[in-house]
Amino acid sequence: AQSVTQLGSHVSVSEGALVLLRCNYSSSVPPYLFWYVQYPNQGLQLLLKYTSAATLVKGINGFEAEFKKSETSFHLTKPSAHMSDAAEYFCAVSVGGGKLIFGQGTELSVKP
Amino acid sequence: SAVISQKPSRDICQRGTSLTIQCQVDSQVTMMFWYRQQPGQSLTLIATANQGSEATYESGFVIDKFPISRPNLTFSTLTVSNMSPEDSSIYLCSAGVSSGGYTFGSGTRLTVV
C-alpha cells in the first residue's frame, strides 16, 4: 500500500537560510508525487508535482523538489527562506483513481 | 488547472443538525473528491464523488453520515448529517487529474457546538 512519511512535524529556519522539508514515500508502482502548502485559514495550494518526467521539479515561489527513486524520497527545498514561506506543507502521493494520500504535514516557521 | 469555489467558508452549527457544503468547478472534471482535515491533522479522503452514480466511500466513512451528490461534471455537495462536536473539522473538495495535479477549494471550517 502506498504511504507518505514527512520527517519533522515542525521545522524552523532563519530568514535567508536553506529550507529542507523531507518526504519519503512507499509505492508499489511509479508514483505521482505532490507538495502542497496551506497558509493559515486557507485551503491547499499546489507547489509542485512529479509525474515521471524530469526528476528535478521546479515549483512556485522558488521551491523545488528532487525525486530519488533509490531513496524513495521527494524532499522539498528552497535556497533562501522568506517570512512569507511560513505555513504548513504537505507531501502527497497519488494512489490511483485520483485519490491522494497525504503525509502528516510539516509546519515551517521562519525567524527574522 | 481548475478553479474551485467552495461554500460556505465557515459555519457554526448546533449538534444534531446537518450542513450541506457546495463545491463548484469552473470546468468539467471527471474526478471530484471530498477530504476532511481534523484540527491539527492532515487530510483524510472521505469519498470520491462520481457523476451519475453513488459516491465511493473510504473506510470509516458512510453514506448515511456523509451523503454526497454529483449531479453534473462541475458541481458536488457534501452533507454532514446529525452533527456532533467530533465533526468539527475543515472539509475540502478537490478536483483534477493525476498528471496535472489536484486543485483544492478553500475549505469549509465547521464548528459544532
Side-chain angles (χ1 to χ4, degrees), chain B residues 3 9 11 14 20 24 26 29 32-34 52 56 58 60 62 65-66 74 77 89-90 98-99 101-102 106:
Chain B
V3 176
S9 59
D11 208 341
Q14 297 291 323
T20 296
Q24 178 74 53
D26 69 342
V29 290
M32 289 186 74
F33 308 91
W34 288 98
T56 305
E58 298 299 306
V62 295
K65 177 67 175 178
F66 298 102
T74 65
T77 67
S89 294
I90 301 173
S98 295
S99 59
Y102 298 93
S106 56

Side-chain angles (χ1 to χ4, degrees), chain B residues 37 58 73 75 78 81 85 95 102 109 112:
Chain B
Q37 185 178 24
E58 298 299 306
L73 292 176
F75 186 78
L78 168 75
S81 303
Y102 298 93
R109 283 150 186 81
V112 184

Side-chain angles (χ1 to χ4, degrees), chain A residues 32 34-36 44-49 92-100 102, chain B residues 1-2 4 31-33 35 93-105:
Chain A
Y32 285 173
F34 307 87
W35 275 101
Y36 285 90
L44 270 70
Q45 181 181 9
L46 179 66
L47 275 177
L48 49 81
K49 60 184 184 287
V93 62
S94 177
V95 298
K99 298 185 285 188
L100 294 178
F102 285 85
Chain B
S1 300
I4 299 177
M31 314 294 287
M32 289 186 74
F33 308 91
Y35 288 83
C93 68
S94 175
V97 295
S98 295
S99 59
Y102 298 93
T103 303
F104 283 79

Side-chain angles (χ1 to χ4, degrees), chain A residues 98-112:
Chain A
K99 298 185 285 188
L100 294 178
I101 291 181
F102 285 85
Q104 286 302 106
T106 298
E107 182 180 358
L108 175 65
S109 300
V110 182
K111 300 176 292 186

Side-chain angles (χ1 to χ4, degrees), chain A residues 36-55:
Chain A
Y36 285 90
V37 61
Q38 185 177 38
Y39 297 102
N41 299 313
Q42 295 189 28
L44 270 70
Q45 181 181 9
L46 179 66
L47 275 177
L48 49 81
K49 60 184 184 287
Y50 168 76
T51 56
S52 74
T55 56

Side-chain angles (χ1 to χ4, degrees), chain A residues 2-72:
Chain A
Q2 286 93 339
S3 65
V4 175
T5 301
Q6 290 183 242
L7 301 177
S9 58
H10 293 90
V11 171
S12 181
V13 300
S14 298
E15 192 173 19
L18 171 71
V19 175
L20 171 60
L21 304 182
R22 300 177 187 274
C23 173
N24 287 88
Y25 70 92
S26 172
S27 177
S28 57
V29 298
Y32 285 173
L33 294 160
F34 307 87
W35 275 101
Y36 285 90
V37 61
Q38 185 177 38
Y39 297 102
N41 299 313
Q42 295 189 28
L44 270 70
Q45 181 181 9
L46 179 66
L47 275 177
L48 49 81
K49 60 184 184 287
Y50 168 76
T51 56
S52 74
T55 56
L56 182 61
V57 181
K58 294 186 183 299
I60 62 172
N61 301 339
F63 285 93
E64 63 182 36
E66 186 172 7
F67 173 72
K68 292 186 176 181
K69 184 178 179 180
S70 61
E71 299 178 7
T72 61

